[in-house]
Amino acid sequence: MASKTGNAFDMDLFKRLLKYTNPYKRIFYFVAVAAILTSLFGVVRPMILQYTIDNALMTSDYENLVLFVSIMVGILILEVVFQFCFIYYANWLGQEVVRDIRVKLFKHMLGFRMKYYDKSAVGRLVTRAVSDIETIASIFSQGLFMIISDLLKMLIVIGVMFYKSWELSLLVLTVLPFIVYATRVFQKKMKLAFEEVRTQVANLNTFVQERITGMKIVQLFTREKTEYERFKDINDKHRNAWVKTVWYNSIFFPIAEMSTSITIGLIVWFGGLRVFAGDDMSLGIIVLFIELSQMLFRPLRQIADKFNTLQMGMVAANRVFDIIDTEAHIEDNGKLDISAIKGEIEFRNVRFSYVEDEEVLKGISFKVNPGETVAIVGATGAGKSTIINLLGRFYEIDSGEILVDGTNVRDISLKSLRSQIAVVLQNVFLFADTIMNNIHLDKEGISEEDVINAAKEIGIHEFINALPNAYHYNVKERGAMLSSGQRQLISFLRAFVSDPGILVLDEATSSVDSYSEQLIQEATERITKGRTSIVIAHRLATIKQADKIIVMDQGEIVETGSHQELLKKEDGYYRKLYEVQFKEEETV
């Protein structure tokens, strides 16, 4: 894991990233070779230029002039060809790598337990999965190979310089340590600056996504001005983070440019004196060193620039790998696959807490026989919905046992267990897709005909058929094109079509109109017949026909019995709940 300090480079993180290039080794090596050849051709050209000046221009040799110019043109063409190959395949490699990382990241996130998402901002996760991963691609397209090419070019340039004139070489190298030091300081500062940039980008994404998603609440509670001021503050921090990177660039690059100009001045001054003195220094050598000094310092400046890109990619990689390394999965060690179940459910002294030392369920025990309809009621926060989350193993219990058909749910594979449980939630989530796709969710064995027949059976075919394009009507993001009642009906049909062994209705009729509720009640009677069903309800009138009612209060089961049995208890908790609701309905 990359450190959070100002260290310029994390080699362990870089090696880990390079492992993703293993499936593309041929392309990787080809890009490396193209980078090397591009560097070589870049250095050869000024050497031929020097030879042309000294052996053609200074001697007025026209034939040699034509020959050397032709050679330079040929080398230039080769350089262009290899540069094209380098740029194209370096970008291709980067995109292949980030595709593989993104797939791995998303697959990893699919298995996270709900507790992880409870604590993680959606906008931050979206930033990691989209923009951060795309930034990693720049490591290959603009960072790694560019830096290798530039470093190689610098080594070749220094070698050629000493071969041609050690005196001018030493003159050039006197300025080099200053630039190297400035580059090193620049890299460390930019590492910290880019850490801050990525943090502020994630904060901005999170804020904007939450406010857009909850815009109705923002406007209902007239928070426009408040949220606007908060956005300005977050946006200012985002701007300041970027301005800091601009500040460092504004200091470094003028210094590097000034150093280059000083070096050229020294070369012309010292070389000119040698020419005037009649030494073996030639005009071609002076021109060569001017070109080579440019080729030495320009890559150094580019390395700093490319290192910025590399730093941003490394920071992004660190954040992405941080999620990939997160162990937040429900252990799926179950070996048993169940294709059909009787539907017996048993909780044995189950204890659970979302937050450590704050128990939500306090040792509850109950049993649901196959085919029974059991209702769970209680005040908000009593632990009703928690029972459903634990049954599907979306959270791990602290202690106790949960059994389905006498088998501990830990011994059943997650996919198999959840395929036997269909849940209809109070807050229905629909994807931005057609009604048909939202119902069958690409589940094998469910055809379009099955969906239509199921809709007819529960009495909602007419409502769907009246929509534009009927079952192929796109409901848009979160089902925005449908009313809450219509979304609930679609969700109910989705559960019905999957033919589950266990059906769960979690406040399924609490937010629908009377007509939709009637449709759902009729469908409930059909789908729950002969099937184990758990109904969590706030409105007690909807659960009178349940075989058993479990009454919960503050994480404990306080009463169990049928509707009539519970009403007979003089000071019973259920009776008090029922009387309060009955009086409220009478008042209405």
Side-chain angles (χ1 to χ4, degrees):
M1 203 48 47
S3 71
K4 301 295 183 182
T5 67
N7 293 336
F9 198 75
D10 190 315
M11 185 54 69
D12 291 335
L13 179 64
F14 186 64
K15 288 179 180 177
R16 181 178 181 182
L17 193 60
L18 282 182
K19 289 181 180 179
Y20 286 90
T21 65
N22 288 341
Y24 316 103
K25 282 184 176 179
R26 290 184 179 180
I27 296 298
F28 183 87
Y29 292 135
F30 176 76
V31 172
V33 170
I36 293 171
L37 291 177
T38 301
S39 300
L40 287 173
F41 290 138
V43 176
V44 168
R45 279 191 297 106
M47 292 178 65
I48 296 176
L49 177 60
Q50 177 249 322
Y51 200 81
T52 303
I53 292 173
D54 289 341
N55 297 280
L57 290 179
M58 300 302 294
T59 59
S60 301
D61 189 337
Y62 179 75
E63 291 183 359
N64 273 341
L65 178 63
V66 173
L67 175 63
F68 294 143
V69 169
S70 300
I71 293 173
M72 280 193 288
V73 171
I75 291 175
L76 180 61
I77 291 172
L78 288 174
E79 186 180 358
V80 168
V81 170
F82 279 102
Q83 196 167 33
F84 165 78
C85 294
F86 168 70
I87 293 172
Y88 177 80
Y89 285 105
N91 279 275
W92 182 90
L93 180 64
Q95 290 302 319
E96 291 296 313
V97 167
V98 298
R99 181 196 63 183
D100 294 345
I101 295 176
R102 185 179 281 120
V103 168
K104 183 175 182 178
L105 174 66
F106 189 71
K107 183 179 180 181
H108 191 67
M109 290 169 63
L110 285 174
F112 281 161
R113 64 185 72 178
M114 289 299 105
K115 191 173 183 178
Y116 178 84
Y117 292 105
D118 292 342
K119 296 181 178 180
S120 302
V122 175
R124 194 175 299 275
L125 294 177
V126 171
T127 300
R128 300 292 177 266
V130 182
S131 61
D132 276 346
I133 285 187
E134 200 58 44
T135 303
I136 294 174
S138 62
I139 291 178
F140 299 94
S141 61
Q142 302 174 40
L144 172 65
F145 294 111
M146 288 287 191
I147 291 174
I148 292 175
S149 176
D150 288 342
L151 286 174
L152 180 63
K153 185 179 293 185
M154 290 171 63
L155 289 174
I156 295 173
V157 164
I158 292 173
V160 172
M161 280 183 169
F162 275 99
Y163 175 75
K164 292 293 184 179
S165 172
W166 66 268
E167 295 169 303
L168 286 179
S169 298
L170 291 176
L171 191 66
V172 172
L173 294 181
T174 54
V175 183
L176 188 61
F178 176 73
I179 297 181
V180 170
Y181 175 76
T183 302
R184 180 67 175 170
V185 172
F186 176 69
Q187 290 168 355
K188 287 186 176 182
K189 294 294 184 181
M190 290 302 287
K191 171 70 184 295
L192 292 173
F194 284 133
E195 285 275 7
E196 179 65 17
V197 165
R198 299 314 303 170
T199 298
Q200 295 306 326
V201 167
N203 290 341
L204 187 62
N205 285 349
T206 300
F207 183 89
V208 171
Q209 184 187 38
E210 286 183 348
R211 270 57 189 182
I212 291 177
T213 303
M215 188 58 70
K216 187 174 183 179
I217 299 299
V218 172
Q219 295 181 355
L220 277 173
F221 290 88
T222 61
R223 288 185 55 84
E224 290 92 339
K225 184 177 180 180
T226 302
E227 298 300 342
Y228 172 70
E229 293 299 329
R230 290 183 64 188
F231 176 79
K232 283 175 62 179
D233 182 56
I234 293 174
N235 198 36
D236 284 343
K237 291 179 180 178
H238 177 264
R239 179 205 60 192
N240 293 339
W242 276 109
V243 167
K244 189 179 291 185
T245 67
V246 174
W247 168 252
Y248 292 140
N249 278 291
S250 300
I251 295 174
F252 173 75
F253 286 104
I255 290 175
E257 194 66 38
M258 180 180 66
S259 302
T260 303
S261 300
I262 291 172
T263 303
I264 293 174
L266 290 174
I267 291 172
V268 173
W269 171 75
F270 184 79
L273 289 178
R274 293 289 303 276
V275 171
F276 294 152
D279 293 342
D280 57 353
M281 186 72 63
S282 67
L283 180 61
I285 292 291
I286 295 176
V287 173
L288 172 65
F289 266 81
I290 291 175
E291 285 287 318
L292 291 180
S293 64
Q294 291 278 357
M295 295 182 69
L296 181 64
F297 293 147
R298 190 184 306 120
L300 190 58
R301 294 198 302 271
Q302 288 178 348
I303 285 176
D305 190 33
K306 299 307 176 186
F307 207 92
N308 292 348
T309 302
L310 184 62
Q311 292 286 41
M312 289 195 72
M314 294 291 284
V315 169
N318 180 70
R319 295 178 185 275
V320 171
F321 287 143
D322 187 49
I323 296 179
I324 292 177
D325 292 339
T326 299
E327 294 297 332
H329 292 80
I330 295 289
E331 291 185 8
D332 189 10
N333 299 322
K335 304 297 182 183
L336 182 62
D337 287 327
I338 50 176
S339 56
I341 62 173
K342 296 177 182 178
E344 181 185 277
I345 302 170
E346 186 174 0
F347 275 57
R348 294 180 181 173
N349 196 29
V350 173
R351 293 182 177 275
F352 172 75
S353 54
Y354 291 103
V355 180
E356 192 174 353
D357 298 327
E358 295 182 17
E359 280 192 334
V360 177
L361 298 183
K362 303 172 182 178
I364 67 168
S365 298
F366 66 88
K367 186 174 182 179
V368 182
N369 296 316
E372 274 190 338
T373 296
V374 174
I376 303 176
V377 301
T380 301
K384 305 186 297 296
S385 296
T386 299
I387 290 176
I388 306 308
N389 290 331
L390 297 180
L391 178 62
R393 291 197 68 201
F394 294 104
Y395 297 85
E396 290 282 27
I397 60 176
D398 298 338
S399 63
E401 284 186 299
I402 302 175
L403 299 94
V404 172
D405 286 356
T407 303
N408 193 310
V409 291
R410 292 177 181 270
D411 299 326
I412 305 172
S413 69
L414 276 178
K415 182 178 180 181
S416 180
L417 173 67
R418 291 174 180 173
S419 68
Q420 291 297 321
I421 302 173
V423 182
V424 179
L425 299 172
Q426 176 183 357
N427 298 316
V428 179
F429 184 92
L430 297 180
F431 295 98
D433 206 337
T434 64
I435 289 178
M436 180 63 67
N437 290 339
N438 268 290
I439 293 171
H440 63 60
L441 296 175
D442 294 326
K443 188 175 182 179
E444 294 182 6
I446 299 179
S447 65
E448 187 168 327
E449 185 179 355
D450 293 333
V451 173
I452 294 174
N453 290 335
K456 290 178 179 178
E457 187 174 344
I458 65 174
I460 68 172
H461 172 71
E462 292 183 3
F463 134 64
I464 297 176
N465 218 35
L467 296 171
N469 298 322
Y471 288 86
H472 297 284
Y473 178 62
N474 194 311
V475 299
K476 304 301 181 183
E477 186 176 5
R478 297 175 179 269
M481 302 305 291
L482 301 177
S483 69
S484 59
Q486 290 173 327
R487 290 196 296 272
Q488 196 67 265
L489 289 169
I490 296 300
S491 177
F492 200 90
L493 179 57
R494 179 162 62 193
F496 184 30
V497 166
S498 66
D499 191 25
I502 299 171
L503 175 67
V504 177
L505 304 179
D506 189 356
E507 303 279 9
T509 62
S510 62
S511 60
V512 299
D513 54 64
S514 299
Y515 175 70
S516 298
E517 182 179 351
Q518 182 181 354
L519 288 177
I520 290 178
Q521 287 294 341
E522 293 173 358
T524 301
E525 294 177 9
R526 293 188 179 95
I527 193 173
T528 56
K529 188 175 182 180
R531 177 182 282 113
T532 303
S533 304
I534 298 178
V535 181
I536 295 176
H538 175 70
R539 296 162 65 179
L540 305 185
T542 63
I543 58 168
K544 290 180 180 179
Q545 305 305 317
D547 298 309
K548 185 192 304 180
I549 298 173
I550 297 174
V551 185
M552 296 190 66
D553 183 38
Q554 297 182 6
E556 298 179 313
I557 296 176
V558 294
E559 291 176 352
T560 303
S562 67
H563 175 70
Q564 294 300 328
E565 289 172 347
L566 294 175
L567 284 182
K568 291 178 182 178
K569 296 185 178 182
E570 290 291 336
D571 296 320
Y573 191 95
Y574 180 82
R575 179 169 175 172
K576 291 178 181 178
L577 285 177
Y578 187 79
E579 287 175 349
V580 169
Q581 284 195 16
F582 185 72
K583 289 179 180 179
E584 288 177 352
E585 290 174 6
E586 278 191 337
T587 303
V588 174

